[in-house]
Amino acid sequence: TVLTQSPALAVSPGERVTISCRASESVSTGMHWYQQKPGQLPKILIYNEFSQAPGIPATFNGDEAELKFTLTIEPMEGDDVATYYCQQKLTLWTFGGGTKLELK
Amino acid sequence: EVQLQQSGAELVRPGTSVKLSCKVSGDTITAYYMHFVKQRPGQGLEWIGRIDPEDDSTKYAEKFKNKATLTADTSSNTAYLKLSSLTSEDTATYFCTTDIVWGQGTLVTVSS
């Protein structure tokens, strides 16, 4: 399964961020989203499309429509500057290429 | 609390092999599939493969089938990743993860 993510984004503080991930085929085991800041480990944000991981604020939400998955962040804050990856965990794992989110 | 402790940074010559370790503490390794993920400098995450320490079964991403070998030692609660025929393309940080918990990563630098 190939996961294609939107390119880098630059968003102003307080705005809504939408990061997309398109799957090449059905992801029956769910889509997951990670955040990675420079020099840090990936951190799980959303699992199984919609569920927030423990400790993750309600500003992070996941959604899906057929083969298109989205991660929204609202409102955008400076601490959200990071690279975001979608991931599927069928028999073999696949990560999307990552979307680098920056402040405008 | 499960923790993963990975081995230290490696500087290796092209054409050689390297074996990285990932020790599980706080639980038995057989409770998890152990996955390994590659991240080249400034690049994204690539899944290498996973091992089930319960029965040593493995699955690999197609790209890494001739590059990586995963093993596990239940007596020491440790998983291993061996990388062979190293080239500059293998210079990266390698993470082990149970899916929920991640090791701190091991930086492998391939240079003559």
Side-chain angles (χ1 to χ4, degrees):
Chain A
T1 304
V2 177
L3 303 179
T4 303
Q5 290 191 236
S6 51
L9 292 174
V11 178
S12 299
E15 290 189 346
R16 176 188 176 101
V17 179
T18 301
I19 297 172
S20 65
C21 173
R22 183 171 295 277
S24 61
E25 58 188 342
S26 174
V27 180
S28 59
T29 54
M31 187 65 73
H32 318 281
W33 290 93
Y34 285 84
Q35 176 194 67
Q36 187 181 33
K37 298 180 179 180
Q40 295 187 20
L41 299 178
K43 179 172 76 172
I44 183 76
L45 298 174
I46 302 290
Y47 62 97
N48 295 341
E49 280 102 47
F50 311 111
S51 301
Q52 289 158 346
I56 300 303
T59 52
F60 291 91
N61 287 280
D63 200 356
E64 66 94 16
E66 297 187 356
L67 298 180
K68 184 179 180 181
F69 300 84
T70 54
L71 171 70
T72 58
I73 308 170
E74 186 173 26
M76 171 73 182
E77 298 177 357
D79 190 50
D80 301 328
V81 171
T83 299
Y84 293 83
Y85 297 94
C86 56
Q87 180 206 33
Q88 67 83 25
K89 300 179 184 177
L90 204 53
T91 306
L92 309 181
W93 285 11
T94 310
F95 290 97
T99 298
K100 189 173 184 179
L101 179 62
E102 298 174 322
L103 275 176
K104 190 183 292 182
Chain B
E1 178 191 1
V2 176
Q3 293 185 331
L4 305 180
Q5 181 64 40
Q6 297 189 239
S7 48
E10 300 269 6
L11 173 61
V12 293
R13 301 292 186 222
T16 63
S17 299
V18 68
K19 190 172 185 179
L20 314 180
S21 67
C22 172
K23 183 173 178 60
V24 177
S25 62
D27 203 347
T28 175
I29 194 173
T30 54
Y32 307 96
Y33 283 179
M34 298 300 298
H35 300 258
F36 283 82
V37 174
K38 175 184 179 181
Q39 187 168 39
R40 297 188 67 193
Q43 303 299 308
L45 303 170
E46 288 185 275
W47 182 74
I48 296 171
R50 67 91 173 144
I51 183 167
D52 179 358
E54 183 77 22
D55 61 8
D56 288 331
S57 62
T58 55
K59 289 199 180 291
Y60 297 92
E62 189 66 35
K63 176 180 179 179
F64 291 100
K65 280 185 177 177
N66 295 319
K67 169 64 65 177
T69 303
L70 297 177
T71 56
D73 178 0
T74 55
S75 66
S76 63
N77 242 24
T78 303
Y80 298 93
L81 166 65
K82 181 180 179 182
L83 301 167
S84 59
S85 303
L86 292 165
T87 72
S88 59
E89 298 292 303
D90 299 313
T91 293
T93 297
Y94 293 85
F95 297 100
C96 63
T97 174
T98 64
D99 184 4
I100 303 300
V101 179
W102 289 64
Q104 82 276 23
T106 297
L107 175 62
V108 174
T109 303
V110 182
S111 175
S112 54

PDB file of all heavy atoms in Angstrom, chain A residues 34 36 40-44 85 87 89 91-97, chain B residues 35 37 39 43-47 59-60 95 97 99 102-105:
ATOM      1  N   TYR A  34       1.376  10.211  13.027  1.00  0.00           N
ATOM      2  CA  TYR A  34       2.476  10.492  13.931  1.00  0.00           C
ATOM      3  C   TYR A  34       2.943  11.927  13.730  1.00  0.00           C
ATOM      4  O   TYR A  34       2.877  12.477  12.638  1.00  0.00           O
ATOM      5  CB  TYR A  34       3.664   9.569  13.652  1.00  0.00           C
ATOM      6  CG  TYR A  34       3.492   8.153  14.125  1.00  0.00           C
ATOM      7  CD1 TYR A  34       2.831   7.214  13.350  1.00  0.00           C
ATOM      8  CD2 TYR A  34       4.009   7.739  15.346  1.00  0.00           C
ATOM      9  CE1 TYR A  34       2.683   5.912  13.782  1.00  0.00           C
ATOM     10  CE2 TYR A  34       3.869   6.430  15.789  1.00  0.00           C
ATOM     11  CZ  TYR A  34       3.205   5.524  14.995  1.00  0.00           C
ATOM     12  OH  TYR A  34       3.063   4.224  15.425  1.00  0.00           O
ATOM     13  N   GLN A  36       6.492  14.168  14.362  1.00  0.00           N
ATOM     14  CA  GLN A  36       7.910  14.086  14.690  1.00  0.00           C
ATOM     15  C   GLN A  36       8.535  15.470  14.611  1.00  0.00           C
ATOM     16  O   GLN A  36       8.501  16.104  13.559  1.00  0.00           O
ATOM     17  CB  GLN A  36       8.652  13.113  13.772  1.00  0.00           C
ATOM     18  CG  GLN A  36      10.094  12.882  14.217  1.00  0.00           C
ATOM     19  CD  GLN A  36      10.866  11.942  13.322  1.00  0.00           C
ATOM     20  OE1 GLN A  36      10.654  11.892  12.116  1.00  0.00           O
ATOM     21  NE2 GLN A  36      11.791  11.176  13.900  1.00  0.00           N
ATOM     22  N   GLN A  40      13.668  14.395  17.611  1.00  0.00           N
ATOM     23  CA  GLN A  40      12.832  13.648  18.546  1.00  0.00           C
ATOM     24  C   GLN A  40      12.269  12.385  17.899  1.00  0.00           C
ATOM     25  O   GLN A  40      12.311  12.218  16.680  1.00  0.00           O
ATOM     26  CB  GLN A  40      11.680  14.517  19.053  1.00  0.00           C
ATOM     27  CG  GLN A  40      12.130  15.711  19.877  1.00  0.00           C
ATOM     28  CD  GLN A  40      10.956  16.449  20.498  1.00  0.00           C
ATOM     29  OE1 GLN A  40       9.848  15.915  20.635  1.00  0.00           O
ATOM     30  NE2 GLN A  40      11.191  17.695  20.889  1.00  0.00           N
ATOM     31  N   LEU A  41      11.729  11.519  18.752  1.00  0.00           N
ATOM     32  CA  LEU A  41      11.087  10.299  18.266  1.00  0.00           C
ATOM     33  C   LEU A  41       9.714  10.612  17.696  1.00  0.00           C
ATOM     34  O   LEU A  41       9.069  11.586  18.096  1.00  0.00           O
ATOM     35  CB  LEU A  41      10.926   9.305  19.417  1.00  0.00           C
ATOM     36  CG  LEU A  41      12.194   8.822  20.117  1.00  0.00           C
ATOM     37  CD1 LEU A  41      11.833   7.894  21.256  1.00  0.00           C
ATOM     38  CD2 LEU A  41      13.112   8.136  19.125  1.00  0.00           C
ATOM     39  N   PRO A  42       9.250   9.784  16.777  1.00  0.00           N
ATOM     40  CA  PRO A  42       7.858   9.928  16.331  1.00  0.00           C
ATOM     41  C   PRO A  42       6.914   9.709  17.505  1.00  0.00           C
ATOM     42  O   PRO A  42       7.164   8.856  18.353  1.00  0.00           O
ATOM     43  CB  PRO A  42       7.708   8.817  15.291  1.00  0.00           C
ATOM     44  CG  PRO A  42       9.095   8.506  14.854  1.00  0.00           C
ATOM     45  CD  PRO A  42       9.952   8.711  16.058  1.00  0.00           C
ATOM     46  N   LYS A  43       5.843  10.479  17.528  1.00  0.00           N
ATOM     47  CA  LYS A  43       4.850  10.368  18.597  1.00  0.00           C
ATOM     48  C   LYS A  43       3.483  10.119  17.968  1.00  0.00           C
ATOM     49  O   LYS A  43       3.066  10.849  17.064  1.00  0.00           O
ATOM     50  CB  LYS A  43       4.814  11.650  19.434  1.00  0.00           C
ATOM     51  CG  LYS A  43       3.789  11.624  20.559  1.00  0.00           C
ATOM     52  CD  LYS A  43       3.932  12.829  21.474  1.00  0.00           C
ATOM     53  CE  LYS A  43       3.386  14.078  20.875  1.00  0.00           C
ATOM     54  NZ  LYS A  43       3.365  15.195  21.863  1.00  0.00           N
ATOM     55  N   ILE A  44       2.786   9.101  18.456  1.00  0.00           N
ATOM     56  CA  ILE A  44       1.477   8.778  17.904  1.00  0.00           C
ATOM     57  C   ILE A  44       0.469   9.842  18.335  1.00  0.00           C
ATOM     58  O   ILE A  44       0.403  10.223  19.498  1.00  0.00           O
ATOM     59  CB  ILE A  44       1.014   7.362  18.350  1.00  0.00           C
ATOM     60  CG1 ILE A  44      -0.320   6.979  17.719  1.00  0.00           C
ATOM     61  CG2 ILE A  44       0.965   7.253  19.858  1.00  0.00           C
ATOM     62  CD1 ILE A  44      -0.191   6.587  16.267  1.00  0.00           C
ATOM     63  N   TYR A  85       3.337  12.242   9.750  1.00  0.00           N
ATOM     64  CA  TYR A  85       3.329  11.041   8.917  1.00  0.00           C
ATOM     65  C   TYR A  85       2.035  10.268   9.114  1.00  0.00           C
ATOM     66  O   TYR A  85       1.598  10.056  10.253  1.00  0.00           O
ATOM     67  CB  TYR A  85       4.482  10.117   9.292  1.00  0.00           C
ATOM     68  CG  TYR A  85       5.857  10.688   9.072  1.00  0.00           C
ATOM     69  CD1 TYR A  85       6.527  11.331  10.110  1.00  0.00           C
ATOM     70  CD2 TYR A  85       6.501  10.578   7.848  1.00  0.00           C
ATOM     71  CE1 TYR A  85       7.798  11.861   9.925  1.00  0.00           C
ATOM     72  CE2 TYR A  85       7.766  11.096   7.650  1.00  0.00           C
ATOM     73  CZ  TYR A  85       8.400  11.741   8.691  1.00  0.00           C
ATOM     74  OH  TYR A  85       9.652  12.272   8.499  1.00  0.00           O
ATOM     75  N   GLN A  87       0.325   6.457   8.540  1.00  0.00           N
ATOM     76  CA  GLN A  87       0.866   5.096   8.580  1.00  0.00           C
ATOM     77  C   GLN A  87      -0.268   4.095   8.537  1.00  0.00           C
ATOM     78  O   GLN A  87      -1.303   4.285   9.187  1.00  0.00           O
ATOM     79  CB  GLN A  87       1.659   4.882   9.874  1.00  0.00           C
ATOM     80  CG  GLN A  87       2.259   3.498  10.015  1.00  0.00           C
ATOM     81  CD  GLN A  87       2.465   3.103  11.472  1.00  0.00           C
ATOM     82  OE1 GLN A  87       1.692   3.485  12.332  1.00  0.00           O
ATOM     83  NE2 GLN A  87       3.511   2.338  11.736  1.00  0.00           N
ATOM     84  N   LYS A  89      -1.018  -0.218   8.996  1.00  0.00           N
ATOM     85  CA  LYS A  89      -0.388  -1.368   9.652  1.00  0.00           C
ATOM     86  C   LYS A  89      -1.043  -2.676   9.252  1.00  0.00           C
ATOM     87  O   LYS A  89      -1.330  -3.510  10.087  1.00  0.00           O
ATOM     88  CB  LYS A  89      -0.484  -1.199  11.174  1.00  0.00           C
ATOM     89  CG  LYS A  89       0.194   0.045  11.694  1.00  0.00           C
ATOM     90  CD  LYS A  89       0.032   0.140  13.215  1.00  0.00           C
ATOM     91  CE  LYS A  89       0.622   1.416  13.756  1.00  0.00           C
ATOM     92  NZ  LYS A  89       0.414   1.548  15.219  1.00  0.00           N
ATOM     93  N   THR A  91      -0.507  -6.221   7.079  1.00  0.00           N
ATOM     94  CA  THR A  91       0.548  -7.194   7.359  1.00  0.00           C
ATOM     95  C   THR A  91       1.922  -6.534   7.347  1.00  0.00           C
ATOM     96  O   THR A  91       2.775  -6.805   8.183  1.00  0.00           O
ATOM     97  CB  THR A  91       0.523  -8.334   6.329  1.00  0.00           C
ATOM     98  OG1 THR A  91      -0.785  -8.883   6.291  1.00  0.00           O
ATOM     99  CG2 THR A  91       1.536  -9.401   6.690  1.00  0.00           C
ATOM    100  N   LEU A  92       2.130  -5.672   6.383  1.00  0.00           N
ATOM    101  CA  LEU A  92       3.352  -4.882   6.305  1.00  0.00           C
ATOM    102  C   LEU A  92       3.005  -3.434   6.606  1.00  0.00           C
ATOM    103  O   LEU A  92       1.957  -2.952   6.218  1.00  0.00           O
ATOM    104  CB  LEU A  92       3.964  -4.991   4.910  1.00  0.00           C
ATOM    105  CG  LEU A  92       4.171  -6.403   4.356  1.00  0.00           C
ATOM    106  CD1 LEU A  92       4.809  -6.349   2.987  1.00  0.00           C
ATOM    107  CD2 LEU A  92       4.990  -7.254   5.311  1.00  0.00           C
ATOM    108  N   TRP A  93       3.917  -2.767   7.307  1.00  0.00           N
ATOM    109  CA  TRP A  93       3.664  -1.345   7.594  1.00  0.00           C
ATOM    110  C   TRP A  93       4.067  -0.491   6.395  1.00  0.00           C
ATOM    111  O   TRP A  93       4.968  -0.855   5.633  1.00  0.00           O
ATOM    112  CB  TRP A  93       4.503  -0.888   8.786  1.00  0.00           C
ATOM    113  CG  TRP A  93       4.050  -1.336  10.128  1.00  0.00           C
ATOM    114  CD1 TRP A  93       3.103  -2.261  10.421  1.00  0.00           C
ATOM    115  CD2 TRP A  93       4.561  -0.880  11.382  1.00  0.00           C
ATOM    116  NE1 TRP A  93       2.990  -2.390  11.775  1.00  0.00           N
ATOM    117  CE2 TRP A  93       3.860  -1.568  12.393  1.00  0.00           C
ATOM    118  CE3 TRP A  93       5.542   0.048  11.748  1.00  0.00           C
ATOM    119  CZ2 TRP A  93       4.106  -1.350  13.759  1.00  0.00           C
ATOM    120  CZ3 TRP A  93       5.798   0.269  13.096  1.00  0.00           C
ATOM    121  CH2 TRP A  93       5.078  -0.429  14.095  1.00  0.00           C
ATOM    122  N   THR A  94       3.421   0.670   6.287  1.00  0.00           N
ATOM    123  CA  THR A  94       3.835   1.676   5.322  1.00  0.00           C
ATOM    124  C   THR A  94       3.667   3.048   5.950  1.00  0.00           C
ATOM    125  O   THR A  94       2.650   3.305   6.598  1.00  0.00           O
ATOM    126  CB  THR A  94       2.975   1.632   4.040  1.00  0.00           C
ATOM    127  OG1 THR A  94       2.919   0.299   3.551  1.00  0.00           O
ATOM    128  CG2 THR A  94       3.571   2.525   2.972  1.00  0.00           C
ATOM    129  N   PHE A  95       4.617   3.913   5.734  1.00  0.00           N
ATOM    130  CA  PHE A  95       4.499   5.306   6.135  1.00  0.00           C
ATOM    131  C   PHE A  95       4.317   6.173   4.893  1.00  0.00           C
ATOM    132  O   PHE A  95       4.866   5.876   3.827  1.00  0.00           O
ATOM    133  CB  PHE A  95       5.768   5.781   6.855  1.00  0.00           C
ATOM    134  CG  PHE A  95       5.970   5.181   8.216  1.00  0.00           C
ATOM    135  CD1 PHE A  95       6.802   4.074   8.385  1.00  0.00           C
ATOM    136  CD2 PHE A  95       5.366   5.728   9.334  1.00  0.00           C
ATOM    137  CE1 PHE A  95       7.001   3.528   9.640  1.00  0.00           C
ATOM    138  CE2 PHE A  95       5.562   5.192  10.595  1.00  0.00           C
ATOM    139  CZ  PHE A  95       6.380   4.083  10.747  1.00  0.00           C
ATOM    140  N   GLY A  96       3.576   7.256   5.052  1.00  0.00           N
ATOM    141  CA  GLY A  96       3.562   8.275   4.017  1.00  0.00           C
ATOM    142  C   GLY A  96       4.887   9.018   4.030  1.00  0.00           C
ATOM    143  O   GLY A  96       5.701   8.859   4.941  1.00  0.00           O
ATOM    144  N   GLY A  97       5.095   9.835   3.020  1.00  0.00           N
ATOM    145  CA  GLY A  97       6.361  10.542   2.887  1.00  0.00           C
ATOM    146  C   GLY A  97       6.571  11.669   3.882  1.00  0.00           C
ATOM    147  O   GLY A  97       7.676  12.189   4.000  1.00  0.00           O
TER     148      GLY A  97
ATOM    149  N   HIS B  35       9.403  -4.143  15.669  1.00  0.00           N
ATOM    150  CA  HIS B  35       9.569  -3.542  14.364  1.00  0.00           C
ATOM    151  C   HIS B  35      10.832  -2.695  14.333  1.00  0.00           C
ATOM    152  O   HIS B  35      11.254  -2.154  15.365  1.00  0.00           O
ATOM    153  CB  HIS B  35       8.376  -2.640  14.035  1.00  0.00           C
ATOM    154  CG  HIS B  35       7.066  -3.330  13.999  1.00  0.00           C
ATOM    155  ND1 HIS B  35       6.439  -3.676  12.815  1.00  0.00           N
ATOM    156  CD2 HIS B  35       6.233  -3.735  15.001  1.00  0.00           C
ATOM    157  CE1 HIS B  35       5.290  -4.259  13.082  1.00  0.00           C
ATOM    158  NE2 HIS B  35       5.136  -4.317  14.402  1.00  0.00           N
ATOM    159  N   VAL B  37      12.579   0.581  12.040  1.00  0.00           N
ATOM    160  CA  VAL B  37      12.266   1.669  11.116  1.00  0.00           C
ATOM    161  C   VAL B  37      13.540   2.448  10.816  1.00  0.00           C
ATOM    162  O   VAL B  37      14.335   2.711  11.726  1.00  0.00           O
ATOM    163  CB  VAL B  37      11.202   2.606  11.737  1.00  0.00           C
ATOM    164  CG1 VAL B  37      10.966   3.825  10.844  1.00  0.00           C
ATOM    165  CG2 VAL B  37       9.898   1.860  11.983  1.00  0.00           C
ATOM    166  N   GLN B  39      15.424   5.902   9.220  1.00  0.00           N
ATOM    167  CA  GLN B  39      15.231   7.306   8.890  1.00  0.00           C
ATOM    168  C   GLN B  39      16.573   7.920   8.481  1.00  0.00           C
ATOM    169  O   GLN B  39      17.450   8.116   9.317  1.00  0.00           O
ATOM    170  CB  GLN B  39      14.619   8.092  10.052  1.00  0.00           C
ATOM    171  CG  GLN B  39      14.258   9.513   9.665  1.00  0.00           C
ATOM    172  CD  GLN B  39      13.393  10.212  10.701  1.00  0.00           C
ATOM    173  OE1 GLN B  39      13.584  10.052  11.899  1.00  0.00           O
ATOM    174  NE2 GLN B  39      12.429  11.001  10.241  1.00  0.00           N
ATOM    175  N   GLN B  43      15.153  12.907   6.167  1.00  0.00           N
ATOM    176  CA  GLN B  43      14.179  12.181   5.351  1.00  0.00           C
ATOM    177  C   GLN B  43      13.076  11.561   6.202  1.00  0.00           C
ATOM    178  O   GLN B  43      13.063  11.719   7.426  1.00  0.00           O
ATOM    179  CB  GLN B  43      14.888  11.098   4.539  1.00  0.00           C
ATOM    180  CG  GLN B  43      15.999  11.614   3.654  1.00  0.00           C
ATOM    181  CD  GLN B  43      15.494  12.614   2.626  1.00  0.00           C
ATOM    182  OE1 GLN B  43      14.541  12.355   1.885  1.00  0.00           O
ATOM    183  NE2 GLN B  43      16.135  13.773   2.564  1.00  0.00           N
ATOM    184  N   GLY B  44      12.185  10.849   5.545  1.00  0.00           N
ATOM    185  CA  GLY B  44      11.030  10.275   6.219  1.00  0.00           C
ATOM    186  C   GLY B  44      11.309   8.919   6.848  1.00  0.00           C
ATOM    187  O   GLY B  44      12.431   8.427   6.865  1.00  0.00           O
ATOM    188  N   LEU B  45      10.240   8.334   7.353  1.00  0.00           N
ATOM    189  CA  LEU B  45      10.311   7.043   8.037  1.00  0.00           C
ATOM    190  C   LEU B  45      10.080   5.917   7.044  1.00  0.00           C
ATOM    191  O   LEU B  45       9.156   5.971   6.234  1.00  0.00           O
ATOM    192  CB  LEU B  45       9.247   6.991   9.138  1.00  0.00           C
ATOM    193  CG  LEU B  45       9.307   8.101  10.188  1.00  0.00           C
ATOM    194  CD1 LEU B  45       8.064   8.069  11.066  1.00  0.00           C
ATOM    195  CD2 LEU B  45      10.565   7.963  11.028  1.00  0.00           C
ATOM    196  N   GLU B  46      10.903   4.893   7.126  1.00  0.00           N
ATOM    197  CA  GLU B  46      10.758   3.704   6.280  1.00  0.00           C
ATOM    198  C   GLU B  46      10.693   2.473   7.166  1.00  0.00           C
ATOM    199  O   GLU B  46      11.603   2.242   7.968  1.00  0.00           O
ATOM    200  CB  GLU B  46      11.964   3.534   5.348  1.00  0.00           C
ATOM    201  CG  GLU B  46      12.083   4.499   4.227  1.00  0.00           C
ATOM    202  CD  GLU B  46      13.256   4.109   3.335  1.00  0.00           C
ATOM    203  OE1 GLU B  46      14.399   4.510   3.669  1.00  0.00           O
ATOM    204  OE2 GLU B  46      13.039   3.412   2.323  1.00  0.00           O
ATOM    205  N   TRP B  47       9.663   1.685   7.000  1.00  0.00           N
ATOM    206  CA  TRP B  47       9.554   0.448   7.746  1.00  0.00           C
ATOM    207  C   TRP B  47      10.446  -0.610   7.122  1.00  0.00           C
ATOM    208  O   TRP B  47      10.381  -0.855   5.922  1.00  0.00           O
ATOM    209  CB  TRP B  47       8.098  -0.011   7.758  1.00  0.00           C
ATOM    210  CG  TRP B  47       7.828  -1.261   8.530  1.00  0.00           C
ATOM    211  CD1 TRP B  47       7.804  -1.393   9.879  1.00  0.00           C
ATOM    212  CD2 TRP B  47       7.515  -2.552   7.994  1.00  0.00           C
ATOM    213  NE1 TRP B  47       7.494  -2.684  10.225  1.00  0.00           N
ATOM    214  CE2 TRP B  47       7.311  -3.414   9.101  1.00  0.00           C
ATOM    215  CE3 TRP B  47       7.386  -3.064   6.705  1.00  0.00           C
ATOM    216  CZ2 TRP B  47       6.979  -4.764   8.936  1.00  0.00           C
ATOM    217  CZ3 TRP B  47       7.055  -4.402   6.539  1.00  0.00           C
ATOM    218  CH2 TRP B  47       6.859  -5.240   7.653  1.00  0.00           C
ATOM    219  N   LYS B  59       8.744 -10.610   8.856  1.00  0.00           N
ATOM    220  CA  LYS B  59       8.219 -10.027   7.625  1.00  0.00           C
ATOM    221  C   LYS B  59       9.063  -8.799   7.327  1.00  0.00           C
ATOM    222  O   LYS B  59       9.430  -8.055   8.241  1.00  0.00           O
ATOM    223  CB  LYS B  59       6.742  -9.658   7.758  1.00  0.00           C
ATOM    224  CG  LYS B  59       5.827 -10.872   7.815  1.00  0.00           C
ATOM    225  CD  LYS B  59       4.412 -10.542   7.496  1.00  0.00           C
ATOM    226  CE  LYS B  59       3.529 -11.781   7.566  1.00  0.00           C
ATOM    227  NZ  LYS B  59       3.859 -12.717   6.461  1.00  0.00           N
ATOM    228  N   TYR B  60       9.349  -8.610   6.055  1.00  0.00           N
ATOM    229  CA  TYR B  60      10.200  -7.503   5.628  1.00  0.00           C
ATOM    230  C   TYR B  60       9.521  -6.701   4.533  1.00  0.00           C
ATOM    231  O   TYR B  60       8.780  -7.238   3.712  1.00  0.00           O
ATOM    232  CB  TYR B  60      11.524  -8.029   5.070  1.00  0.00           C
ATOM    233  CG  TYR B  60      12.384  -8.770   6.063  1.00  0.00           C
ATOM    234  CD1 TYR B  60      12.292 -10.149   6.200  1.00  0.00           C
ATOM    235  CD2 TYR B  60      13.304  -8.082   6.854  1.00  0.00           C
ATOM    236  CE1 TYR B  60      13.086 -10.828   7.109  1.00  0.00           C
ATOM    237  CE2 TYR B  60      14.099  -8.753   7.759  1.00  0.00           C
ATOM    238  CZ  TYR B  60      13.989 -10.130   7.884  1.00  0.00           C
ATOM    239  OH  TYR B  60      14.790 -10.791   8.790  1.00  0.00           O
ATOM    240  N   PHE B  95      15.451   2.866  14.226  1.00  0.00           N
ATOM    241  CA  PHE B  95      14.634   2.784  15.437  1.00  0.00           C
ATOM    242  C   PHE B  95      14.048   1.381  15.571  1.00  0.00           C
ATOM    243  O   PHE B  95      13.662   0.769  14.574  1.00  0.00           O
ATOM    244  CB  PHE B  95      13.451   3.754  15.380  1.00  0.00           C
ATOM    245  CG  PHE B  95      13.820   5.207  15.317  1.00  0.00           C
ATOM    246  CD1 PHE B  95      13.792   5.881  14.099  1.00  0.00           C
ATOM    247  CD2 PHE B  95      14.162   5.905  16.457  1.00  0.00           C
ATOM    248  CE1 PHE B  95      14.114   7.233  14.034  1.00  0.00           C
ATOM    249  CE2 PHE B  95      14.485   7.249  16.397  1.00  0.00           C
ATOM    250  CZ  PHE B  95      14.459   7.913  15.182  1.00  0.00           C
ATOM    251  N   THR B  97      10.765  -0.440  17.577  1.00  0.00           N
ATOM    252  CA  THR B  97       9.501  -0.032  18.189  1.00  0.00           C
ATOM    253  C   THR B  97       8.582  -1.221  18.351  1.00  0.00           C
ATOM    254  O   THR B  97       8.578  -2.140  17.532  1.00  0.00           O
ATOM    255  CB  THR B  97       8.799   1.066  17.356  1.00  0.00           C
ATOM    256  OG1 THR B  97       7.503   1.332  17.921  1.00  0.00           O
ATOM    257  CG2 THR B  97       8.632   0.674  15.901  1.00  0.00           C
ATOM    258  N   ASP B  99       5.518  -0.591  18.428  1.00  0.00           N
ATOM    259  CA  ASP B  99       4.328   0.067  17.866  1.00  0.00           C
ATOM    260  C   ASP B  99       3.944   1.227  18.772  1.00  0.00           C
ATOM    261  O   ASP B  99       3.779   2.339  18.307  1.00  0.00           O
ATOM    262  CB  ASP B  99       3.163  -0.918  17.726  1.00  0.00           C
ATOM    263  CG  ASP B  99       1.951  -0.279  17.066  1.00  0.00           C
ATOM    264  OD1 ASP B  99       2.017   0.885  16.655  1.00  0.00           O
ATOM    265  OD2 ASP B  99       0.920  -0.955  16.946  1.00  0.00           O
ATOM    266  N   TRP B 102       8.908   3.456  21.428  1.00  0.00           N
ATOM    267  CA  TRP B 102      10.019   3.553  20.490  1.00  0.00           C
ATOM    268  C   TRP B 102      11.340   3.595  21.249  1.00  0.00           C
ATOM    269  O   TRP B 102      11.444   4.230  22.308  1.00  0.00           O
ATOM    270  CB  TRP B 102       9.901   4.821  19.638  1.00  0.00           C
ATOM    271  CG  TRP B 102       8.792   4.766  18.634  1.00  0.00           C
ATOM    272  CD1 TRP B 102       7.445   4.679  18.897  1.00  0.00           C
ATOM    273  CD2 TRP B 102       8.910   4.792  17.205  1.00  0.00           C
ATOM    274  NE1 TRP B 102       6.735   4.652  17.723  1.00  0.00           N
ATOM    275  CE2 TRP B 102       7.604   4.722  16.670  1.00  0.00           C
ATOM    276  CE3 TRP B 102       9.989   4.869  16.324  1.00  0.00           C
ATOM    277  CZ2 TRP B 102       7.349   4.725  15.290  1.00  0.00           C
ATOM    278  CZ3 TRP B 102       9.740   4.887  14.957  1.00  0.00           C
ATOM    279  CH2 TRP B 102       8.435   4.810  14.455  1.00  0.00           C
ATOM    280  N   GLY B 103      12.349   2.927  20.670  1.00  0.00           N
ATOM    281  CA  GLY B 103      13.692   3.104  21.181  1.00  0.00           C
ATOM    282  C   GLY B 103      14.233   4.467  20.777  1.00  0.00           C
ATOM    283  O   GLY B 103      13.623   5.171  19.962  1.00  0.00           O
ATOM    284  N   GLN B 104      15.385   4.816  21.330  1.00  0.00           N
ATOM    285  CA  GLN B 104      15.945   6.148  21.091  1.00  0.00           C
ATOM    286  C   GLN B 104      16.636   6.261  19.737  1.00  0.00           C
ATOM    287  O   GLN B 104      16.969   7.364  19.301  1.00  0.00           O
ATOM    288  CB  GLN B 104      16.928   6.517  22.222  1.00  0.00           C
ATOM    289  CG  GLN B 104      18.336   5.957  22.069  1.00  0.00           C
ATOM    290  CD  GLN B 104      18.486   4.544  22.587  1.00  0.00           C
ATOM    291  OE1 GLN B 104      17.525   3.782  22.689  1.00  0.00           O
ATOM    292  NE2 GLN B 104      19.727   4.175  22.897  1.00  0.00           N
ATOM    293  N   GLY B 105      16.813   5.130  19.084  1.00  0.00           N
ATOM    294  CA  GLY B 105      17.443   5.138  17.764  1.00  0.00           C
ATOM    295  C   GLY B 105      18.940   4.898  17.829  1.00  0.00           C
ATOM    296  O   GLY B 105      19.602   5.256  18.821  1.00  0.00           O
TER     297      GLY B 105
END
